[in-house]
Amino acid sequence: MGDAPNVPWRLLDIAILIQDNETGEGKPLVHTSQLNWLRGVAQARLASAGLSGALTALRYFCRSLSLELLYTQTLRLCRDRLARHLQVDRYIPGQKLQVSYWRELGCELGYRLIVGAEGETLCVWHVPALVGGERVAAALTPHAPSMERLLAHTVHVRSRQRLNDLKVLLNDLGVECSVGGWPCVLACSVVWPCLRAEQLLVSVGAHGGRLRARVPAYPHTPRMPELAAALTHANRAHVRQFLTTLRFWLVARRCEKTLQHLPASVCEHLPFLHGPDHPLNKLAPDRLYVTLHRHTDHILVVEMKEVAAGGTATTSSSNNSGSACSVALAFHLAGARRCTPDECEDDASLSSNNAASTATARAFLKLHSLVELDTFTLTHGPFTPLDTPGMQPGKRKLSAASTRAVRVRQPAYFLPELAHVVAAADERVPFVNLAQELAARGVTHGGVQAEWSGSALGMRIVALPRPEGASEAAAAALRARLLAATVRLTTKNHARVWTAEIVFHGSPVSTPNPKEQGERRCVYLQYDLGTDAGRTADAFLADWAAIVHLHTLLYDFMLRPSQERESLWQGVCIRSYTYRSLVLGWGAGARATAVLQWSAATQRYTVATPAHQPAANAHHLLHHHLDHYLNWHKELMSLGVVLRETYAPLLALSRLPTLPQLGLHHVRTLMPTPTFTLLAHSWRKIRIIYAGAYSIEVGIRGGNMVTIRDGSYSKFDRSTVVDEFAPAQGLKTFLSRYVDDNISARLLAEDDNPPSPMSPMPPGGLRFPAPLTPPQPHTPHSAPVTPHPASPAHQMGGGSFNLTSPPGSAGGAGAGAGGGAGGGAGVSASPASPMAPSPLAPAASPHPPPTSPFTAWPASPSLPRPSPGHHPSPRHHVDYKGPQASSSSAAARGGTSGGRGWSGAVGTPLAVSKLEAMCSPAEPPPGAPPGPPLAPLQRFLACVYMKRALQRFVHQEEFLSLVSADATSLTFRCEGAGLAARVTLHPQHMQSLHLQVTPLADVKDNWSADDLQVMEKFFEQRVAVSPFRATALQGWARAWGAPGAALPSLVALMRADLAPVAPALWTPHWLLRIPPAGSQIVPAGQPAVLLAKHKILFFICLTRGETQLLLPLVYDVQSNAMQIAERREVQQPHLLAVNMHLKRFAEFNQSHGECILWPAVRDLLINFSLPPDAPQPPAPPPP
């Protein structure tokens, strides 16, 4: 080898640069033997034809190899992935390869790619012709030919060409488009302005060549396949229609995003009921319905229209004009109400916007109004920042000297016009409804206006009508003070409420309230924001009427001369006047108040008496009567005088205890009975009821004076007793202790004893026979219960007399005189006293038990009645009609001695200070037993009640006989004990009961003076004391019936109760009524002394430190034995121990005829001790 010209060419080696790693599983494309053969052929051509011949042979081999490689790659693509879209039409080795793609498009010529030799290189031809095909040929690289890369470049260029053709079509339709990206995408701005995520993207499928359309922001955009098909066929009409639908759909989505933070929802369909001629059908078919959450009866209809080129659109930018991609929004406010198809007037012509929704909806909407809104006026009103240069929402306008204008940039999807219209509708719809209702009721207003720099809306009230029944002069004076009235919507507790502000100039009266001293007085009225504006308007006018009527009351008061107001209202003042309420004050420091208002519901003035510390308002009792007085007289002056004059008496009466007590009544011991019940018959007549038995009537006369009379007598006939109460004997004498010296003594000279309808009692006392038949229960539907007209003579122990015939005047007078002397043979009683039979049944229960003492004792204190509550009314007694008595009984009850009524029925004048002293709790007076502080009136009535109960017990017990009874004393005798007793009220203060025991002449030596004194002292300090229980008195009275041998032991027990035995370990206390913690042998509250044949059951309480033992003891007179009375099923350890102690005492102390009752009790007091293992007994409550 060499470089000489004559040296022939010699081929050293051949390197094949064409590579494809995927073909041949990574092996070389040319085998070694093939390469050696090619080397020999090239050397032969080099020798024969020179260098050009060798190169020509090698190039031909490389082109054939490239075509073979492309063919192989095409077959692999068809086999693996593109069998449906790619096909080899023709292949000539070494010459041409023809491939078809996008076979599904159905083109006549088809889309074909031809790769063939042209000269010394491979060339690419496209069918149909492809603009920019040279860029596709550049993708065919000689060293690495790839059919997939060649197809990808071909599809990309082909897609760009198709999209450019579509761009021309869409530009003709007014849509701005751009083509770009890899793969190539046609981006169309359907609306203007348009976010990139809202653009319509059209692309060509690389495999099938089909057009695909989508909106990136909304993957589920409707009608996209139909739009792509229309673009494929270049159907301009269909493309325009689908673009318009897409444009409206995108605007609807923008509306949803705009309102996502507002109290509104966007709906495309609503179940409307209307005819074909309804104005709603005349709107554009493309519309939205915005339902306001706060106003369900109004719907905002958003009408969407395309804007022609050169027009103005109402979209996200108010400066948009002339774009065919713009959408104009028109707003209509519709009033709707819910209805059913049956309520529609024309069922045959019903139509709905959505047939499917209408068919399945249960509730329909019927439009009754449709008003088009002026968008420009709404968005360009005062304080509206839309389209205002240099203005930002929530910020003040920039100064003119600012060199840079601030421009608000808002996202394209936000529609400020829609947001402003919805917000304005949400705020103004309530005002519009309220304005219509107010105008219909005669209220003149100035419409809705923006206030406070646009931060709120308000409706100015220009004129308010005069309420019906209001004074013209007072209304004119009030309008002269009226400065402004505005209605606004405010927020209270996260809820929207109406707030009406009424501003007045000053006040017609000066008040001491520091908040009412300015010249500008504001009244705020609030109402709930509901769907019924008429109700709000009525409530506002009702409050205005209340202001006018209350001002009328004050206006008439201020017309009075000032001297008259000062003189009559001395001690009364106006504490506050807020135009809605008037507060009067009186009393010490004007602490007692009354609030005056006008009630629109009842069309009356109302008087409220709120409580003031430290006690309740005393005028609660007269609440209803003050209301009636004010509405009857309509005069503030006289009302103030009434409040002042009644305050001191009511304050004194309010000191009486009203809490219910158990055991106050002698029969219904377990039923709570009010101690005192106050009933107001009028503002000047107050009735005091004690224990449901006595009635005291207090009359307020003014000038710090009151009158007190016995309310058990009729106000019209002072000799007639009312059905429900009994006369309080001794009332006149008790009241005389409180009468001032300057009152005439003539008023006190009358006899205090009530008139008696009976003849004087024969010597030896009066004995009532047992009833012939058991008493029948009285019902409201049965005949009135009347007593037997006369008592049979053969049943009387002594002489007989007629209870129903009125006695002679001389006899009646004698009875009164005898009763007053005390201890005489005669007895005087009131017509309703226990001495006179009465047809009255118990008021609390129409079915008394046959064993009840009320049946055989009709005139006893009536059963307790329910308390009338804290606001009593006279109807509690006025409306009640008790059983009517027969003519004979009426004559007995109405008959008087000498035709004259009892003095207690006549009012006794007292000073208010004396009334307060009589009703205020005080310590027991001198001569009375010690006890808790009680009102003197309570002590007196309790003593009268106890004395009267004792008189009834004397009649009930066989071993007692009544000697005489008058207003202040009761005399009876016990033949078994050989004693005569006289129970009297204290002659000085009449607030305690005292006992005087005298032995009978034949047994005078059986009783010592010390025993008599012990009995009297025990009665005064243990029986007739607070809490004044009649059952305890009955238990004491039963002790008189004990056998004569046991009486000294009982007296010794009384002595031990009063003065404990010196060496005793236990302190005794004799229980006269069953305590709640006692043994269940006898119900709680009943008398604790029982006599049964030859046995005596009594209860004692032993106390040692904090330990108390309640012992039910039974003394057997025949066997002279003591034991514990206990039920077998309930055995307490301490009672067993006491019982064993009593048995041991009886065994070791054999008495010879001596009563062991007291010795056994005394041994218990001295020697008894609880066993160590016995549990501690519970401490019983005080009896």
Side-chain angles (χ1 to χ4, degrees):
M1 294 186 294
D3 55 358
N6 55 351
V7 177
W9 288 93
R10 183 179 178 182
L11 181 63
L12 299 178
D13 197 5
I14 297 176
I16 304 299
L17 301 179
I18 300 176
Q19 298 179 359
D20 187 8
N21 296 329
E22 295 181 1
T23 303
E25 299 179 356
K27 297 179 181 180
L29 298 178
V30 181
H31 197 264
T32 306
S33 59
Q34 294 176 336
L35 189 60
N36 294 332
W37 177 82
L38 181 60
R39 187 181 299 111
V41 173
Q43 184 63 41
R45 291 290 183 96
L46 184 61
S48 61
L51 184 60
S52 60
L55 292 177
T56 300
L58 291 176
R59 289 192 184 98
Y60 181 79
F61 178 80
C62 289
R63 286 198 302 270
S64 300
L65 181 61
S66 297
L67 284 176
E68 185 66 25
L69 180 60
L70 290 176
Y71 176 67
T72 304
Q73 293 174 351
T74 304
L75 294 180
R76 187 169 61 249
L77 287 175
C78 292
R79 182 183 67 249
D80 296 342
R81 290 179 291 168
L82 304 178
R84 296 175 51 191
H85 310 288
L86 190 64
Q87 179 182 355
V88 178
D89 296 335
R90 185 177 182 186
Y91 173 62
I92 302 176
Q95 295 184 5
K96 183 173 65 174
L97 174 63
Q98 180 177 334
V99 179
S100 299
Y101 59 95
W102 291 357
R103 299 173 56 196
E104 296 180 357
L105 293 182
C107 181
E108 296 180 359
L109 299 178
Y111 291 93
R112 297 193 298 272
L113 175 67
I114 302 175
V115 181
E118 182 178 355
E120 298 178 355
T121 61
L122 291 177
C123 295
V124 180
W125 293 274
H126 299 275
V127 179
L130 181 63
V131 178
E134 62 277 1
R135 290 180 293 177
V136 178
L140 188 61
T141 55
H143 62 279
S146 173
M147 177 58 72
E148 187 172 0
R149 183 168 61 249
L150 181 62
L151 287 174
H153 282 75
T154 302
V155 168
H156 174 70
V157 177
R158 179 72 69 183
S159 299
R160 177 178 290 273
Q161 181 179 356
R162 292 186 62 188
L163 294 179
N164 284 329
D165 296 340
L166 291 179
K167 178 182 178 181
V168 175
L169 174 62
L170 294 176
N171 286 337
D172 294 342
L173 297 178
V175 179
E176 297 183 1
C177 305
S178 61
V179 180
W182 183 286
C184 192
V185 177
L186 173 64
C188 308
S189 299
V190 182
V191 293
W192 193 93
C194 186
L195 297 175
R196 292 186 60 183
E198 293 180 334
Q199 288 182 337
L200 175 63
L201 302 183
V202 182
S203 60
V204 181
H207 295 168
R210 294 185 178 276
L211 294 180
R212 297 177 180 176
R214 66 186 181 93
V215 177
Y218 307 102
H220 303 287
T221 306
R223 310 299 295 273
M224 286 294 101
E226 292 83 349
L227 176 60
L231 291 174
T232 301
H233 297 87
N235 191 331
R236 297 175 62 91
H238 288 178
V239 170
R240 183 188 299 275
Q241 177 183 355
F242 289 132
L243 288 179
T244 301
T245 303
L246 177 61
R247 189 174 297 117
F248 289 155
W249 190 85
L250 291 176
V251 172
R253 303 292 78 74
R254 290 185 176 184
C255 293
E256 291 178 355
K257 289 188 176 181
T258 301
L259 302 180
Q260 61 183 349
H261 297 299
L262 293 178
S265 301
V266 178
C267 304
E268 295 184 359
H269 304 284
L270 285 177
F272 289 117
L273 291 176
H274 55 76
D277 299 333
H278 195 273
L280 186 63
N281 291 339
K282 299 179 182 179
L283 302 180
D286 299 292
R287 54 180 178 265
L288 299 175
Y289 305 101
V290 179
T291 58
L292 305 178
H293 297 171
R294 297 172 180 171
H295 315 291
T296 57
D297 55 343
H298 284 79
I299 298 173
L300 183 66
V301 182
V302 182
E303 184 183 11
M304 296 181 290
K305 298 180 181 179
E306 281 190 308
V307 179
T312 303
T314 304
T315 57
S316 60
S317 176
S318 299
N319 296 328
N320 174 36
S321 62
S323 175
C325 296
S326 302
V327 177
L329 302 181
F331 304 98
H332 304 264
L333 187 62
R337 64 178 179 86
R338 295 182 179 274
C339 64
T340 60
D342 297 336
E343 298 175 1
C344 188
E345 298 179 356
D346 188 6
D347 294 341
S349 59
L350 290 180
S351 63
S352 174
N353 294 79
N354 189 353
S357 301
T358 306
T360 58
R362 295 182 179 181
F364 296 87
L365 297 174
K366 184 176 181 180
L367 301 181
H368 54 79
S369 63
L370 185 64
V371 180
E372 184 177 1
L373 303 180
D374 190 347
T375 308
F376 182 83
T377 304
L378 287 175
T379 56
H380 294 79
F383 310 108
T384 303
L386 297 182
D387 300 337
T388 304
M391 179 75 74
Q392 291 186 8
K395 296 184 179 181
R396 291 175 293 182
K397 189 173 182 180
L398 299 177
S399 60
S402 178
T403 58
R404 184 180 61 179
V406 178
R407 189 172 184 84
V408 181
R409 298 188 61 184
Q410 296 175 340
Y413 65 82
F414 182 76
L415 305 177
E417 294 86 358
L418 175 63
H420 188 82
V421 170
V422 171
D426 186 67
E427 291 290 337
R428 292 175 183 263
V429 162
F431 283 97
V432 172
N433 296 338
L434 183 60
Q436 293 176 355
E437 297 294 339
L438 290 177
R441 289 162 175 78
V443 179
T444 306
H445 58 85
V448 184
Q449 302 174 3
E451 295 182 325
W452 302 330
S453 301
S455 60
L457 297 176
M459 182 172 60
R460 296 289 181 131
I461 304 298
V462 179
L464 288 165
R466 179 172 64 91
E468 183 180 358
S471 173
E472 179 64 32
L478 184 62
R479 283 196 296 268
R481 290 185 175 273
L482 181 61
L483 298 179
T486 308
V487 180
R488 303 182 181 92
L489 269 178
T490 57
T491 302
K492 179 182 179 182
N493 296 332
H494 306 286
R496 304 179 71 194
V497 295
W498 287 109
T499 300
E501 180 190 37
I502 305 177
V503 184
F504 294 97
H505 175 263
S507 174
V509 63
S510 60
T511 60
N513 194 334
K515 297 182 180 180
E516 301 174 4
Q517 304 302 324
E519 294 296 330
R520 189 175 184 270
R521 302 285 297 278
C522 298
V523 178
Y524 294 96
L525 310 174
Q526 288 190 343
Y527 314 97
D528 293 334
L529 178 61
T531 57
D532 190 359
R535 182 182 303 176
T536 304
D538 292 337
F540 173 71
L541 291 180
D543 288 341
W544 169 250
I547 293 175
V548 174
H549 283 286
L550 190 61
H551 182 267
T552 302
L553 204 64
L554 187 60
Y555 176 79
D556 296 339
F557 173 76
M558 296 303 296
L559 291 180
R560 296 289 188 95
S562 60
Q563 296 181 354
E564 181 182 358
R565 297 198 304 266
E566 294 175 359
S567 60
L568 293 180
W569 266 40
Q570 185 177 3
V572 184
C573 68
I574 298 179
R575 294 187 55 177
S576 174
Y577 176 61
T578 62
Y579 283 92
R580 296 193 66 191
S581 63
L582 179 64
V583 182
L584 302 182
W586 65 91
R591 293 174 60 187
T593 58
V595 182
L596 277 61
Q597 291 180 324
W598 174 267
S599 174
T602 59
Q603 293 295 309
R604 291 169 54 88
Y605 289 104
T606 60
V607 181
T609 53
H612 60 279
Q613 296 298 329
N617 199 324
H619 280 86
H620 275 313
L621 187 63
L622 302 182
H623 173 72
H624 300 290
H625 300 287
L626 293 177
D627 274 359
H628 177 74
Y629 183 88
L630 180 60
N631 287 280
W632 181 261
H633 296 278
K634 291 183 171 53
E635 189 179 6
L636 189 61
M637 177 74 74
S638 60
L639 178 65
V641 175
V642 169
L643 292 173
R644 183 192 61 197
E645 295 297 334
T646 57
Y647 176 66
L650 290 176
L651 188 61
L653 294 178
S654 65
R655 301 180 187 275
L656 294 174
T658 58
L659 291 178
Q661 299 185 39
L662 287 174
L664 185 61
H665 199 270
H666 63 282
V667 175
R668 302 292 179 88
T669 57
L670 298 181
M671 185 175 71
T673 304
T675 308
F676 283 97
T677 302
L678 302 180
L679 297 178
H681 286 255
S682 67
W683 65 267
R684 65 177 70 206
K685 292 293 182 182
I686 312 298
R687 175 166 291 190
I688 307 173
I689 301 175
Y690 174 78
Y694 298 107
S695 173
I696 307 298
E697 186 178 283
V698 179
I700 302 175
R701 299 178 58 179
N704 289 329
M705 293 296 296
V706 296
T707 59
I708 300 179
R709 64 179 292 269
D710 194 336
S712 62
Y713 283 87
S714 173
K715 294 187 297 183
F716 309 102
D717 183 5
R718 294 178 181 176
S719 62
T720 304
V721 181
V722 297
D723 291 342
E724 300 185 14
F725 305 105
Q729 298 181 359
L731 176 63
K732 197 74 171 184
T733 308
F734 172 74
L735 295 178
S736 65
R737 306 297 190 269
Y738 296 90
V739 177
D740 293 337
D741 297 336
N742 56 357
I743 298 180
S744 174
R746 182 180 56 84
L747 298 175
L748 304 176
E750 301 180 21
D751 184 15
D752 195 35
N753 293 323
S756 174
M758 301 186 304
S759 301
M761 186 180 64
L766 174 66
R767 300 297 301 162
F768 267 83
L772 298 181
T773 57
Q776 300 295 329
H778 173 65
T779 62
H781 302 287
S782 62
V785 180
T786 58
H788 199 273
S791 298
H794 63 274
Q795 296 288 344
M796 302 295 293
S800 63
F801 57 91
N802 193 340
L803 294 178
T804 60
S805 61
S809 59
V827 59
S828 62
S830 66
S833 67
M835 296 299 298
S838 171
L840 298 182
S845 175
H847 304 282
T851 58
S852 172
F854 289 107
T855 306
W857 200 265
S860 62
S862 58
L863 288 178
R865 288 164 294 278
S867 174
H870 201 60
H871 302 284
S873 175
R875 65 176 180 269
H876 291 289
H877 291 290
V878 173
D879 296 341
Y880 172 76
K881 301 298 182 182
Q884 302 297 327
S886 62
S887 60
S888 60
S889 62
R893 297 170 61 233
T896 61
S897 176
R900 178 172 55 87
W902 180 39
S903 60
V906 181
T908 302
L910 290 179
V912 175
S913 59
K914 300 298 182 180
L915 177 65
E916 184 174 4
M918 193 167 54
C919 299
S920 300
E923 295 296 331
L934 297 176
L937 180 61
Q938 182 180 358
R939 284 197 184 94
F940 166 73
L941 293 177
C943 291
V944 174
Y945 185 87
M946 295 280 284
K947 185 181 74 69
R948 195 156 172 264
L950 179 60
Q951 183 177 353
R952 180 173 51 254
F953 300 151
V954 169
H955 278 281
Q956 290 177 353
E957 303 297 342
E958 296 291 339
F959 49 84
L960 298 178
S961 59
L962 181 67
V963 177
S964 64
D966 58 16
T968 59
S969 65
L970 174 68
T971 304
F972 62 94
R973 59 192 301 176
C974 179
E975 299 293 344
L979 296 173
R982 184 172 182 264
V983 178
T984 61
L985 291 171
H986 195 282
Q988 298 298 326
H989 49 73
M990 302 185 69
Q991 299 180 30
S992 60
L993 287 175
H994 300 271
L995 176 67
Q996 181 181 359
V997 183
T998 305
L1000 298 180
D1002 51 350
V1003 291
K1004 189 175 182 179
D1005 298 335
N1006 294 346
W1007 297 99
S1008 64
D1010 182 65
D1011 291 341
L1012 299 179
Q1013 186 178 2
V1014 167
M1015 296 171 64
E1016 294 173 357
K1017 190 175 180 181
F1018 183 82
F1019 175 82
E1020 296 172 2
Q1021 297 185 5
R1022 295 291 187 267
V1023 180
V1025 294
S1026 177
F1028 300 104
R1029 296 294 185 258
T1031 51
L1033 185 64
Q1034 186 177 6
W1036 173 82
R1038 286 180 179 177
W1040 287 65
L1047 283 177
S1049 295
L1050 295 179
V1051 174
L1053 184 60
M1054 296 180 188
R1055 182 181 293 106
D1057 191 339
L1058 295 174
V1061 182
L1065 300 176
W1066 299 85
T1067 301
H1069 179 55
W1070 188 4
L1071 302 179
L1072 298 177
R1073 64 188 184 96
I1074 306 299
S1079 179
Q1080 298 300 321
I1081 301 175
V1082 182
Q1086 296 297 321
V1089 178
L1090 297 178
L1091 304 177
K1093 295 182 181 180
H1094 55 276
K1095 292 184 179 181
I1096 304 174
L1097 172 64
F1098 63 98
F1099 291 75
I1100 63 172
C1101 180
L1102 304 183
T1103 305
R1104 183 179 183 181
E1106 297 182 355
T1107 304
Q1108 287 186 344
L1109 301 180
L1110 186 62
L1111 306 179
L1113 299 177
V1114 176
Y1115 173 68
D1116 192 339
V1117 179
Q1118 291 183 353
S1119 60
N1120 195 19
M1122 285 277 292
Q1123 64 177 355
I1124 292 292
E1126 187 179 10
R1127 302 175 64 178
R1128 295 182 178 179
E1129 60 272 12
V1130 179
Q1131 295 184 357
Q1132 301 181 14
H1134 68 279
L1135 295 182
L1136 295 177
V1138 172
N1139 207 15
M1140 292 297 298
H1141 185 89
L1142 292 176
K1143 289 181 179 180
R1144 288 194 301 268
F1145 174 80
E1147 292 176 359
F1148 292 100
N1149 296 273
Q1150 296 293 335
S1151 61
H1152 302 281
E1154 181 186 359
C1155 177
I1156 70 166
L1157 189 151
W1158 168 242
V1161 173
R1162 182 178 55 189
D1163 185 72
L1164 280 176
L1165 300 179
I1166 298 175
N1167 301 320
F1168 176 73
S1169 60
L1170 284 174
D1173 55 344
Q1176 191 76 6

